[in-house]
Amino acid sequence: MPGQTRSRPSPTGLERFNAAPADDAERALIACCGSHRWARRLAAHRPYPDLAALLAAADEAAYDLTPADLSEALAREPLPHLPDDAYAAAHTALSAAHAAYESRFGHVFVICLDDMSPEETLDQVLAAIRSRLANDPEEERCLTAEELRRLAKGRLSRMARS
């Protein structure tokens, strides 16, 4: 029909990521996982046809993280967020648990909370820290790397869908 124009839908987050300059793509990836090598590797292999391909590439790159890459990523990780209505005693207990963990392993505690309700967060984080404090350093390094992979996949999924 004359006078009608077709409007193209807004590009998805994945489309914007695929089309972004390399530096911008790497910055977006660093927000998902703090390893520069991981981010460069994923940015270099664009475009990704779909989210599943991006997540598979992210997993593969994460499995190749060296101890130095892992340390770099951990240095950029924030502590898990507590719900705003958590009691002061909970904040104190969590701070003490984080300090004990960092003293034992030399890096921040990371855990993916994507599938947890806010009501469960505090209990799960405290239980996980206490449980993982008993791990030997190599076992904990493996668990930490797995949690970073899970965190990165969740962040990438949110980025690609935005």
Side-chain angles (χ1 to χ4, degrees), residues 81-149:
H81 179 70
L82 273 182
D84 293 332
D85 61 349
Y87 295 106
H91 283 280
T92 301
L94 193 56
S95 293
H98 278 291
Y101 182 92
E102 285 187 46
S103 174
R104 172 141 167 72
F105 297 110
H107 58 79
V108 298
F109 174 79
V110 292
I111 186 170
C112 182
L113 301 170
D114 288 351
D115 297 330
M116 241 171 265
S117 71
E119 299 79 34
E120 297 174 302
T121 300
L122 176 62
D123 291 336
Q124 291 296 323
V125 171
L126 279 170
I129 291 175
R130 290 177 179 147
S131 169
R132 288 170 54 185
L133 275 168
N135 293 341
D136 66 64
E138 180 58 25
E139 180 181 16
E140 186 56 26
R141 188 192 68 75
C142 291
L143 284 171
T144 297
E146 180 59 30
E147 289 298 319
L148 277 173
R149 279 190 290 280

Side-chain angles (χ1 to χ4, degrees), residues 37 64-74 138 141:
R37 187 159 94 45
D64 292 339
L65 291 176
T66 66
D69 296 330
L70 186 59
S71 293
E72 178 186 33
L74 287 169
E138 180 58 25
R141 188 192 68 75

